[in-house]
Amino acid sequence: MQKIVPNLWFDRNAVEAGEFYAQTFRDASTSVRMRYPESGLPDFQKEAAGLPLVVDVTIGDYRLALINADSTFQPDPAISMMVNFDPAAVPDARTYFDEVWAALTDGGQVLMPAGEYPFSQRYGWVADRYGVNWQLILADPEGDPRPFVMPAFMFGADVQNQARAAIDTYIATLPDSSWGMAAEYPEQTGPAEPGALMFADFQMAGQWFVAMDSGVEQPSSFTPGVSLQIDCDDQAEIDRLWDALSANPEAEQCGWCADRFGVSWQVVPVGLDSGTMTPAGYQAMLGMKKIDIAKLGAAG
């Protein structure tokens, strides 16, 4: 089971986006997992009554959750999805790369053109038509295998050069976590100091992630536009992870918190949907900071 699920914030068009991603990637599908209650919503959400709230997108065996919300937040380059086209796993990896690149750049913004770079024969970075950032890379088939989709953290702005500290923190916080490979900047590169991480990958809860310190100045850093949902087995696990991750009381709401690097997390129980489908359960969740499973169950 995928314990950590990236959640992407959308402005009322998550269903449309889910269908787009299901058409863009092979072996992909989309479905509405959760809807807003028909009644009992706060004033700012009343127009959403009965509409989809969470849309799942599955690419292979990897799940993304699209939050069908409003314009309060939006994804940005601080957390992107790295897509790993490995010829050892997909014989026509380059063709597949080009198919996905063509779809994601249609109506999107190219941040790094698709082409040959020192680290890959083919790589490109694009913010798609919905603002979601994707890094596509043609992998070296002789290298260590990695999953097809890996969330990628970029540390810039007020958390510049803190990628290594963040990885150490996450590895210490979540079981079944460890370092992978790491490549350092050999010299000052823009705001990146010598020894900062040019690229690294690591595992959290048995899943692969990527992290880097930005080599160019960034106007902003992490926001709730992309959050990481951790599905917890019980209240004890929620309590432990909340205590370890939450560093900003003002960001605490409905199971959401932000760590000391500004990354947003959703620390929630497995099967949260069943506790928030009723108006009473949904209202109870809105009144919580850290999720209390017992109170949520009593309200639902």
Side-chain angles (χ1 to χ4, degrees), residues 199-220:
F199 179 91
D201 60 18
F202 64 103
Q203 291 190 77
M204 283 194 290
Q207 298 170 220
W208 283 101
F209 293 79
V210 169
M212 64 197 76
D213 290 303
S214 180
V216 298
E217 295 287 349
Q218 297 297 328
S220 62

Side-chain angles (χ1 to χ4, degrees), residues 141-204:
E142 301 299 322
D144 293 334
R146 292 292 186 266
F148 186 57
V149 180
M150 297 180 290
F153 300 87
M154 181 172 65
F155 290 80
D158 57 344
V159 289
Q160 178 70 47
N161 302 320
Q162 296 186 43
R164 190 187 306 276
I167 294 173
D168 284 338
T169 297
Y170 301 150
I171 288 174
T173 299
L174 287 155
D176 195 17
S177 302
S178 61
W179 277 87
M181 65 86 67
E184 299 179 346
Y185 286 97
E187 58 188 23
Q188 188 78 32
T189 305
E193 301 171 348
L197 291 178
M198 183 184 300
F199 179 91
D201 60 18
F202 64 103
Q203 291 190 77
M204 283 194 290

Side-chain angles (χ1 to χ4, degrees), residues 79 153 155 159 162 166-167 169-170 173 204 222 228 241-242 244-248 251 256-265:
I79 299 183
F153 300 87
F155 290 80
V159 289
Q162 296 186 43
I167 294 173
T169 297
Y170 301 150
T173 299
M204 283 194 290
F222 304 106
L228 297 174
L241 292 177
W242 189 270
L245 292 171
S246 184
N248 179 7
W256 290 59
C257 66
D259 66 26
R260 66 187 180 95
F261 307 102
V263 176
S264 289
W265 300 83

Side-chain angles (χ1 to χ4, degrees), residues 48-93:
L51 296 179
L53 172 55
V54 180
V55 177
D56 279 341
V57 173
T58 303
I59 303 172
D61 60 357
Y62 194 83
R63 180 161 66 94
L64 300 171
L66 315 186
I67 303 173
N68 197 43
D70 54 23
S71 60
T72 302
F73 303 110
Q74 60 183 13
D76 65 20
I79 299 183
S80 58
M81 298 299 127
M82 179 165 280
V83 186
N84 184 50
F85 296 85
D86 187 349
V90 182
D92 64 340

Side-chain angles (χ1 to χ4, degrees), residues 10 12-22 55 66 68 129-130:
F10 285 82
R12 301 176 179 86
N13 54 4
V15 173
E16 174 190 314
E19 293 171 351
F20 171 70
Y21 297 135
V55 177
L66 315 186
N68 197 43
R129 64 184 70 174
Y130 303 103

